[in-house]
C-alpha cells in the first residue's frame, strides 16, 4: 500500500527528492514526477509499463509559466489557454531547449496544461519545477478517478497518493495540437468540441490512425476493463443475445430490467452528460470487479461530452 494523504508539503518533499507522487486533477489522477529529473521520469515509464515512444503531459501552475516550457505560441493557442486554463485542455506546442527528450519522446513539441484542482495547483505553486503526469494507471487500462483506484493499481510501487477526492470531470483532458497555426484535436476529452469551436471556430479532428502512436490515447484498445465489453445502442437486443452469460450493464439514463442482468450502473438518471462523464471510469472499475462474463455498455447521445464518452467506450470495447 502507498500512503493516501492530503499532505501537500509531504508530496512536495517527495517530488523534490525525485520520487513519484500520484496527484489529483479535475480529469483523472496523474502519476507525477519532476520533469527535469531523469530518474523520476524513467520511473514513471517503468511503473506504468508505458512505452518510451509515448510522450508525457507537463503540468504547470499558470498560463504565465508557459513561457518556461515552449518556444512559440500561436494566437489561437493563447485564446484557448485564456479560455480554458486552469482546465481540462492540453496544448501541444513547440518545446524550448530545456524540456528533456524523455518527456517528449524526442519530438520537438511538448504537451502542456494547467490542471484545475485546488490541491494540485497549490502543489505546483510550491514547487520550482513543473510536473510530468500521465494518467496513474498501467498502460492501456482504465484511468483512475479516485485515490483508491490508484492504490489498487500500484500498491507499494509508489510512496504516496495525494488525495484530492473523486475527480470532478472524470475523463482526460482534450488534446489540441497545431498544424501551421491552426488547431487540430488529437484526443477527445473533457473539453467538448463545441466549447472549443466557440472560441477558435471550426477545428479538425485528426483521424486516430493517422496520429497513432503520437497520442496512444488514440490507440484502438485503451481505457479497457479486463472483462469482455461491448458497446451498443440497443441494450435489450444485446441482453437477448448474451442471456446465458453473467451480464453487467452500463446504462446511460434508464435502468434495464432483465433476469440475466447481475449488476447494473446507470450513469445519469438526470440525462446529464457531464454527470455521466464524471462517473464513467468508476463505473467501469466497479463492473470489472464483479466477475462478469460480459459488460454491455450503452452509447450516449453523440453531442458535447457524449462524443468523448462514446470515444472512450469505443476504445474499451475493441477486442485485443
Ligand atoms: O487529463 C489528462 O490529460 C491526464 C491528467 C493526469 O492530466 N493526463 C493524461 O496523460 O491523460 P496520458 O499520458 O495518459 O495521456 C497523454 C497523451 C498521450 O496519449 C500522449 O501520446 C499525448 O498525450 N502526447 C503527449 N505529448 C505529445 C506530443 N508532443 N504530441 C502529441 N501527443 C502527445
Ligand atoms: Mg492515459
Amino acid at each position: 500500500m502507498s500512503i493516501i494523504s492530503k499532505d501537500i508539503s509531504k508530496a512536495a518533499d517527495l517530488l523534490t527528492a525525485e520520487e513519484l507522487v500520484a496527484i489529483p486533477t479535475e480529469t483523472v489522477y496523474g502519476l507525477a514526477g519532476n520533469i527535469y529529473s531523469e530518474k523520476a521520469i524513467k520511473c514513471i515509464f517503468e511503473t506504468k509499463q508505458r512505452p518510451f515512444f509515448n510522450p508525457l503531459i507537463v503540468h504547470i501552475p499558470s498560463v504565465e509559466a508557459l513561457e518556461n516550457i515552449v518556444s512559440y505560441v500561436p494566437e489561437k493557442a493563447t485564446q484557448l489557454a485564456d479560455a480554458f486554463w486552469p482546465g481540462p485542455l492540453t496544448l501541444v506546442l513547440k518545446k524550448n531547449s530545456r524540456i528533456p527528450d524523455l518527456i517528449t519522446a524526442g519530438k520537438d513539441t511538448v504537451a502542456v496544461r494547467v490542471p484545475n484542482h485546488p490541491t494540485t495547483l497549490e502543489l505546483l505553486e510550491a514547487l520550482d519545477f513543473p510536473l510530468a503526469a500521465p494518467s496513474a494507471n498501467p498502460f492501456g487500462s482504465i484511468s483512475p478517478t479516485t485515490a483508491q483506484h490508484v492504490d489498487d493499481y500500484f500498491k507499494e510501487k509508489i510512496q504516496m497518493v495525494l488525495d484530492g477526492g473523486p475527480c470532478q470531470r472524470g475523463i482526460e483532458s482534450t488534446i489540441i495540437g497545431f498544424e501551421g497555426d491552426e488547431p487540430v484535436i488529437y484526443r477527445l476529452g473533457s473539453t467538448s468540441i463545441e466549447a472549443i469551436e466557440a472560441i477558435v471556430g471550426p477545428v479538425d479532428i485528426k483521424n486516430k490512425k493517422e496520429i497513432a502512436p503520437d497520442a496512444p490515447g488514440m490507440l484502438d484498445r485503451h481505457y479497457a476493463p479486463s472483462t469482455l465489453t461491448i458497446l451498443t445502442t440497443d441494450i435489450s437486443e444485446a441482453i437477448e443475445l448474451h442471456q446465458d452469460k453473467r451480464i453487467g450493464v452500463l446504462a446511460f439514463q434508464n435502468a434495464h430490467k432483465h433476469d440475466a442482468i447481475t449488476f447494473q450502473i446507470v450513469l445519469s438518471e438526470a440525462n446529464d452528460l457531464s454527470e455521466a462523464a464524471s462517473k464513467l471510469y468508476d463505473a467501469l472499475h466497479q463492473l470489472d470487479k464483479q466477475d462478469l462474463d460480459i459488460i454491455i455498455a450503452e452509447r450516449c447521445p453523440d453531442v458535447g461530452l457524449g462524443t468523448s464518452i462514446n470515444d472512450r467506450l469505443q476504445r474499451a470495447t475493441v477486442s485485443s
Side-chain angles (χ1 to χ4, degrees):
M1 259 193 54
S2 32
I3 302 163
I4 299 180
S5 155
K6 294 186 193 303
D7 188 343
I8 296 173
S9 57
K10 183 173 171 57
D13 288 346
L14 284 166
L15 289 161
T16 303
E18 301 185 83
E19 300 290 339
L20 304 188
V21 173
I23 57 167
T25 82
E26 78 282 33
T27 58
V28 301
Y29 275 72
L31 185 58
N34 176 352
I35 66 163
Y36 300 118
S37 160
E38 189 176 317
K39 177 188 163 206
I41 301 309
K42 282 191 169 155
C43 194
I44 289 177
F45 282 97
E46 274 158 27
T47 307
K48 269 190 68 99
Q49 302 275 297
R50 178 180 177 114
F52 279 107
F53 64 71
N54 189 359
L56 305 177
I57 297 177
V58 171
H59 295 69
I60 54 175
S62 62
V63 179
E64 291 69 42
L66 189 60
E67 64 184 36
N68 306 323
I69 309 293
V70 304
S71 58
Y72 171 66
V73 186
E75 175 65 29
K76 287 185 179 175
T78 305
Q79 290 168 3
L80 290 166
D82 288 343
F84 295 109
W85 285 356
L89 183 79
T90 294
L91 297 174
V92 175
L93 299 169
K94 285 267 179 293
K95 79 179 193 85
N96 73 21
S97 58
R98 287 192 64 211
I99 303 299
D101 281 341
L102 257 182
I103 300 285
T104 63
K107 296 154 82 65
D108 63 356
T109 53
V110 60
V112 57
R113 81 180 190 100
V114 182
N116 189 14
H117 192 292
T119 305
T120 289
L121 284 174
E122 197 179 322
L123 174 67
L124 286 166
E125 293 285 358
L127 297 170
D128 56 8
F129 49 83
L131 293 174
S135 53
N137 53 289
F139 188 65
S141 55
I142 310 164
S143 300
T145 54
T146 65
Q148 192 60 52
H149 291 159
V150 181
D151 189 47
D152 288 348
Y153 277 138
F154 295 119
K155 307 269 190 287
E156 65 289 333
K157 286 194 189 132
I158 49 177
Q159 288 196 33
M160 177 176 176
V161 183
L162 181 60
D163 191 356
C167 302
Q168 299 291 308
R169 299 301 202 107
I171 291 186
E172 292 82 352
S173 61
T174 301
I175 302 181
I176 294 198
F178 290 83
E179 287 182 359
D181 284 352
E182 287 305 308
V184 176
I185 295 183
Y186 283 180
R187 179 178 74 181
L188 299 171
S190 273
T191 301
S192 70
I193 301 168
E194 290 89 337
I196 289 162
E197 291 190 332
I199 305 296
V200 291
V203 285
D204 274 351
I205 303 176
K206 264 231 174 185
N207 178 293
K208 63 183 183 200
K209 295 278 183 212
E210 280 171 44
I211 61 165
D214 277 12
M218 294 301 243
L219 287 178
D220 276 353
R221 185 174 164 82
H222 214 85
Y223 315 104
S226 43
T227 313
L228 171 69
T229 304
I230 63 168
L231 179 60
T232 179
T233 48
D234 190 339
I235 291 267
S236 305
E237 184 188 66
I239 293 171
E240 291 300 328
L241 277 175
H242 295 280
Q243 49 180 304
D244 53 323
K245 304 195 175 104
R246 282 175 59 81
I247 297 178
V249 167
L250 179 60
F252 170 54
Q253 187 187 2
N254 299 308
H256 295 258
K257 289 198 177 60
H258 198 290
D259 288 346
I261 301 176
T262 47
F263 190 81
Q264 176 161 217
I265 293 178
V266 177
L267 287 177
S268 175
E269 282 172 10
N271 191 18
D272 174 349
L273 286 165
S274 44
E275 181 187 15
S278 72
K279 290 185 176 167
L280 177 68
Y281 289 149
D282 186 60
L284 289 173
H285 279 282
Q286 284 189 52
L287 283 154
D288 211 16
K289 280 190 191 155
Q290 307 300 318
D291 194 26
L292 301 164
D293 297 321
I294 189 165
I295 299 169
I296 299 173
E298 182 174 31
R299 243 178 202 289
C300 289
D302 226 341
V303 291
L305 291 178
T307 311
S308 304
I309 296 172
N310 290 336
D311 171 83
R312 296 306 191 269
L313 285 173
Q314 189 80 48
R315 289 169 211 289
T317 55
V318 174
S319 54
S320 52

